[in-house]
Amino acid sequence: MSLRFDAVNHVSHDRSNNPEVHSQKITAIFGESVFNVKTAREYLSDEAYKSLVNSIKGSKKIERNVAGQIATGIRAWAEAKGVTHFTHWFQPLTGTTAEKHDSFFTLKSDGTAIEEFDGAALIQQEPDASSFPNGGLRATFEARGYTAWDPSSPPFIIEIGNGKTLCIPTIFIAYTGESLDYKAPLMKATEALNKAAVTVCNLFDKNVTKVTPTLGWEQEYFVIDEALVNARPDLVQCGRTVFGASPAKGQQLEDHYFGSIPERVYAFMRDYENESYKLGIPLRTRHNEVAPAQFECAPIFEEVNIAVDHNILLMDVMSRVAKRHHLVVLLHEKPFAGINGSGKHNNWSLATDTGVNLLAPGKTPKTNLMFLTFFVNTIKAVHDYADILRASIASASNDFRLGANEAPPAIISVFIGEYLTKVLNDVESRVGTKFDEQDEAILKLDLHRSIPELLLDNTDRNRTSPFAFTGNKFEFRAVGSTANCGHPMTILNTIVADTLNKFAAEVDALIEKGDKKEIAIMQVIQKYIVSSKKILFEGDGYSEEWHKEAEKRGLPNLKTTPIALDAMVTEKAKKLFKENNIYSHSELEARYEIELEKYIKKVQIEARIMGDLATNHIIPSALKYQNELLKNVSLLREAALPEKLYKGQLALLKDVSTHIQQVYDNVDAMVEARKIANNIVNSRDKAIAYEAKVKAQYFDKIRYHVDKLEQLVDDELWTLPKYRELLFLR
Ligand code: ADP
Ligand code: MG
């Protein structure tokens, strides 16, 4: 029996080994595997505790000897929980997390066995970094990089089977100081934004001393039976199906959206949620998504650094817990053609240490002006650096989503809703007139009342916008489901920091010239509204008209990764990242190189999988069927039956034979195109060749003929699980 039928049988009959999930009160388990501030209080001396808290609050450096005390406290806590090993946990540019486990166990010089975890081991480790991508930053003879403890993200315990490992969140940097991960730049960008935002806040409120970007992500994913996935080499290797005819029923009825969650998936969700709660990930919502077998979860928002760690951790936890349930989580942006793909909306805002959300409309004229300042600066940042923001979400897998009629388009625009559009128009219409203090434009910004209207907008019209204001935050919707959102968040924080710095300078200049503060602020806001207006769009982002309109406005529409990435290394980008101390030129070049490499490899792997499946699955099945038809036709002919009685078989035979030949021809041609691409030395040219000459040229074509064969060949002979099985069997 083929793997396919074995798997189908398995799904329908064998339920005996699905684990039971017990309901637990969330507050009883929340954070129990995290060395948080409360645990620290319990396990650390006053001195060590204070030092740790100060470091978390203000990034103050922890002294070596204190680090030793903290390490001892962490070990005591971890050992009490049965932990034997520890690892520095980091986020290299491969896109997954990396760990290298060491045990606490060690031998003293006299041979006595002891458990040890000292300050040095907490602060710094040296994983063999040679096989992590570095974009040429380190020649192989100097393949040294090290991980350094990030005290602002608390250590946690990961349980795999019966083993427990202490994970220390770290950044990953080269010996020469360049960052080799997603976390170090994010922390720099967060700091840059903090500084810039505090300066601007102080125009309104001198009490603000810290501003933190906040992130609440929404993670979409598919859940598929493990046995069925194992019978699909493409899902196993690329996380997406390269072939598969549309089932009779897809998502036309939209009956899956917010429908009841299937029992098996529900058990899996409760299980991974429990694991997440233990790790301090504050998950709050779960529901079905639009496509069959698609779901979403979202936490309560947190400081951006922690939120990013939690998202990466969650993706890992989900994948592991799924195994226990004999399920597989697909995080890929487009696992199935013809139905929706998955994204990861990044809800982003700014919070002050005085407890104010800077993107929430205020209740008084003064707080409204502060809101308007941050609101307009964000729009201006997106306007000025739209290309760089677009590049931050570019990947081979997200290319399947952006530009298709389901996700925000590759054109970056900002949705703000009717009311705020009117507010900005009012301010703009005053160009040429001077604001005064008793001005309506300042005093009558009745933003508070507009919130219900904004929420209404949120639910209907702005779903197609890549960057939408949703009442008290911006939602960056074009981020892909597999992404480490640390990267787009680094970029967003940097461009807003840069814009706020310029804003503060312009306001200062006007004040120096004698303008009153509020008037100066209004003047610059007005200027920014005028100059960034073309990024605002309230209509349907999927529509053909918008594509035309965007072109007229001069907004870039970069549909493929190799081209979108250009924006990372322009003079403008180099200046931006250097001035804000995020990336040096060489770091930027390296990252660009790594992104191109990743793209090339992803497309290359998919092309190979297509070839393998066509040769080892599709064609053999189709040949068997072709032989059956041939036998049938020749026997009919022998029996001297009139041909009009087997016209159907003859037509079928012709169709099957045509598609078989087309698959052969196109796979061969694709292999040739790959060879040519592989000989290109320049990474950008090579990536473009892979995009245009391999992917665009052959993927759809090969798929077309394969999917036709799937619909023609005897179901009994087809070896790959079909969409209707993958998506609808549970
Ligand atoms: P919905 O969009 O489903 O109506 P919410 O608006 O409450 O729900 O939130 C959606 C996401 O936005 C959640 O992940 C939430 O944590 C996040 N979020 C809400 N407020 C903020 C904020 N100030 N900063 C960042 N994220 C936020
Ligand atoms: Mg949302």
Side-chain angles (χ1 to χ4, degrees):
M1 186 162 45
S2 82
L3 216 46
R4 172 182 165 215
F5 289 104
D6 210 22
V8 169
N9 253 333
H10 204 267
V11 182
S12 345
H13 301 302
D14 188 10
R15 287 296 165 85
S16 54
N17 55 1
N18 288 343
E20 292 244 335
V21 182
H22 300 287
S23 288
Q24 306 184 59
K25 201 169 162 201
I26 297 168
T27 48
I29 55 170
F30 192 76
E32 74 172 31
S33 302
V34 183
F35 191 79
N36 52 28
V37 175
K38 207 169 123 238
T39 330
R41 182 59 287 190
E42 214 174 298
Y43 279 86
L44 299 183
S45 69
D46 280 356
E47 184 194 16
Y49 174 75
K50 263 192 211 140
S51 167
L52 181 64
V53 169
N54 280 340
S55 151
I56 294 170
K57 269 203 215 136
S59 328
K60 279 213 191 69
K61 220 174 156 226
I62 294 173
E63 298 301 327
R64 275 256 158 177
N65 67 320
V66 182
Q69 292 181 39
I70 297 175
T72 306
I74 294 175
R75 178 166 69 90
W77 166 76
E79 281 183 342
K81 292 192 169 284
V83 171
T84 51
H85 285 64
F86 71 95
T87 179
H88 274 197
W89 182 80
F90 59 105
Q91 300 168 28
L93 299 170
T94 42
T96 49
T97 53
E99 308 161 5
K100 175 183 157 246
H101 297 196
D102 284 310
S103 65
F104 292 140
F105 166 82
T106 188
L107 291 176
K108 294 188 84 152
S109 53
D110 64 356
T112 338
I114 57 157
E115 330 257 33
E116 185 181 76
F117 181 54
D118 59 14
L122 170 65
I123 289 178
Q124 190 171 319
Q125 291 275 293
E126 204 177 318
D128 176 12
S130 53
S131 46
F132 290 111
N134 63 68
L137 273 180
R138 287 166 294 128
T140 34
F141 62 86
E142 234 291 74
R144 280 153 55 109
Y146 65 93
T147 52
W149 179 33
D150 164 21
S152 68
S153 184
F156 56 89
I157 296 167
I158 278 281
E159 290 179 53
I160 301 178
N162 293 323
K164 292 186 177 182
T165 304
L166 170 69
C167 297
I168 312 287
T170 55
I171 56 170
F172 181 40
I173 41 189
Y175 257 80
T176 39
E178 289 98 347
S179 15
L180 297 171
D181 70 350
Y182 286 115
K183 198 179 167 93
L186 176 64
M187 292 172 77
K188 290 182 187 171
T190 304
E191 186 44 33
L193 182 52
N194 170 39
K195 275 212 191 104
V198 167
T199 307
V200 173
C201 272
N202 288 160
L203 290 170
F204 305 93
D205 182 353
K206 292 280 177 224
N207 295 320
V208 174
T209 61
K210 191 173 177 191
V211 173
T212 318
T214 51
L215 167 65
W217 38 263
E218 301 163 57
Q219 177 76 50
E220 293 180 330
Y221 59 95
F222 282 82
V223 179
I224 311 292
D225 180 83
E226 185 184 38
L228 290 168
V229 169
N230 286 340
R232 292 281 314 214
D234 47 357
L235 280 179
V236 172
Q237 299 235 285
C238 330
R240 95 174 173 96
T241 55
V242 295
F243 302 136
S246 291
K249 175 180 185 276
Q251 66 183 46
Q252 309 91 321
L253 302 176
E254 304 224 332
D255 50 356
H256 184 66
Y257 195 44
F258 282 114
S260 65
I261 297 166
E263 196 179 320
R264 223 182 136 192
V265 178
Y266 183 56
F268 156 64
M269 283 177 171
R270 282 166 45 230
D271 204 358
Y272 86 69
E273 284 170 358
N274 284 343
E275 293 298 321
S276 304
Y277 293 140
K278 287 192 214 162
L279 290 164
I281 305 171
L283 288 179
R284 216 190 52 185
T285 57
R286 53 161 110 99
H287 62 82
N288 287 357
E289 258 305 324
V290 180
Q294 192 188 28
F295 306 90
E296 179 186 295
C297 67
I300 297 166
F301 67 93
E302 301 175 278
E303 283 183 21
V304 68
N305 183 30
I306 308 288
V308 168
D309 282 2
H310 280 167
N311 178 245
I312 290 289
L313 194 52
L314 174 94
M315 293 200 281
D316 186 45
V317 167
M318 278 172 115
S319 306
R320 275 189 291 108
V321 172
K323 277 228 161 283
R324 296 211 275 264
H325 295 258
H326 308 284
L327 295 167
V328 171
V329 167
L330 300 177
L331 293 166
H332 195 285
E333 281 81 351
K334 192 72 185 174
F336 302 99
I339 58 172
N340 277 18
S342 301
K344 174 151 50 199
H345 296 176
N346 280 202
N347 295 273
W348 173 91
S349 190
L350 295 167
T352 68
D353 56 352
T354 53
V356 174
N357 174 356
L358 292 171
L359 290 172
K363 285 181 186 164
T364 63
K366 194 170 113 185
T367 51
N368 268 332
L369 191 55
M370 182 156 84
F371 159 75
L372 199 62
T373 298
F374 283 92
F375 179 69
V376 169
N377 269 280
T378 306
I379 295 171
K380 170 89 166 134
V382 175
H383 171 272
D384 289 358
Y385 298 111
D387 56 338
I388 301 178
L389 199 58
R390 163 70 184 96
S392 79
I393 48 161
S395 71
S397 47
N398 211 17
D399 277 3
F400 288 105
R401 215 174 127 251
L402 302 179
N405 270 358
E406 56 170 65
I411 309 161
I412 298 288
S413 67
V414 182
F415 177 99
I416 58 171
E418 223 171 276
Y419 186 84
L420 285 162
T421 302
K422 198 174 143 309
V423 170
L424 299 197
N425 285 343
D426 286 350
V427 178
E428 193 200 345
S429 71
R430 299 275 311 270
V431 171
T433 64
K434 187 90 178 152
F435 292 104
D436 68 61
E437 267 169 289
Q438 294 308 311
D439 215 305
E440 298 243 307
I442 300 176
L443 291 179
K444 294 258 171 82
L445 287 174
D446 192 7
L447 300 173
H448 200 64
R449 267 200 316 192
S450 68
I451 290 178
E453 181 260 331
L454 276 167
L455 292 182
L456 206 67
D457 274 339
N458 181 17
T459 46
D460 353 318
R461 286 187 296 115
N462 69 355
R463 267 189 309 176
T464 64
S465 174
F467 202 90
F469 184 70
T470 51
N472 55 6
K473 61 191 182 285
F474 278 99
E475 186 167 343
F476 189 17
R477 299 223 177 90
V479 183
S481 50
T482 56
N484 180 322
C485 37
H487 184 44
M489 287 296 105
T490 298
I491 306 307
L492 183 58
N493 291 343
T494 305
I495 64 179
V496 174
D498 187 73
T499 308
L500 288 170
N501 281 331
K502 288 177 180 155
F503 180 85
E506 292 199 49
V507 170
D508 273 352
L510 288 179
I511 292 174
E512 239 156 68
K513 272 206 263 163
D515 271 346
K516 283 219 151 153
K517 191 171 70 187
E518 278 76 16
I519 308 300
I521 291 169
M522 268 324 265
Q523 296 291 110
V524 183
I525 286 180
Q526 187 185 55
K527 183 176 153 193
Y528 281 16
I529 292 173
V530 172
S531 64
S532 55
K533 200 175 147 186
K534 76 169 192 291
I535 201 81
L536 297 177
F537 178 64
E538 301 290 304
D540 178 1
Y542 299 170
S543 67
E544 207 30 62
E545 296 86 76
W546 171 232
H547 287 232
K548 285 194 199 121
E549 165 71 18
E551 202 182 327
K552 250 196 268 160
R553 293 192 195 180
L555 297 175
N557 182 6
L558 305 170
K559 287 188 174 159
T560 68
T561 293
I563 302 295
L565 289 176
D566 285 347
M568 283 179 78
V569 284
T570 56
E571 286 310 311
K572 180 173 93 175
K574 285 182 180 166
K575 186 161 172 281
L576 167 77
F577 291 115
K578 180 97 182 113
E579 279 181 6
N580 290 282
N581 193 24
I582 313 297
Y583 296 125
S584 65
H585 291 187
S586 62
E587 282 175 302
L588 206 54
E589 298 278 1
R591 246 151 236 265
Y592 172 64
E593 198 62 31
I594 289 167
E595 290 303 324
L596 286 173
E597 277 297 318
K598 271 202 292 204
Y599 180 86
I600 293 165
K601 283 183 188 149
K602 286 261 163 74
V603 179
Q604 195 174 46
I605 291 169
E606 290 198 355
R608 284 202 189 126
I609 281 284
M610 273 194 154
D612 284 0
L613 287 187
T615 315
N616 302 321
H617 284 260
I618 312 302
I619 290 184
S621 301
L623 291 183
K624 275 186 202 146
Y625 191 49
Q626 190 186 37
N627 282 339
E628 269 179 32
L629 290 171
L630 276 170
K631 221 183 296 164
N632 175 278
V633 169
S634 78
L635 288 174
L636 290 164
R637 211 166 256 152
E638 242 170 68
L641 271 132
E643 211 176 282
K644 67 171 191 237
L645 288 185
Y646 54 97
K647 259 194 347 224
Q649 288 97 310
L650 281 173
L652 191 55
L653 182 59
K654 192 166 151 252
D655 277 354
V656 168
S657 307
T658 309
H659 293 304
I660 290 175
Q661 193 53 44
Q662 285 288 337
V663 172
Y664 269 129
D665 290 349
N666 283 300
V667 168
D668 282 350
M670 179 175 74
V671 171
E672 286 310 309
R674 239 162 53 207
K675 281 187 195 153
I676 295 172
N678 286 338
N679 282 328
I680 301 175
V681 180
N682 176 285
S683 315
R684 181 178 185 268
D685 294 343
K686 189 169 174 176
I688 290 175
Y690 259 102
E691 195 284 313
K693 300 280 163 37
V694 179
K695 186 181 163 194
Q697 186 83 25
Y698 294 108
F699 279 21
D700 284 350
K701 225 189 254 172
I702 295 172
R703 181 176 190 133
Y704 172 81
H705 295 291
V706 167
D707 291 356
K708 281 285 174 208
L709 284 170
E710 182 187 321
Q711 288 163 307
L712 296 174
V713 170
D714 182 358
D715 188 58
E716 288 285 323
L717 297 174
W718 202 255
T719 59
L720 297 175
K722 298 186 171 181
Y723 271 24
R724 61 165 190 265
E725 292 152 357
L726 292 166
L727 293 167
F728 293 96
L729 292 184
R730 324 209 146 87

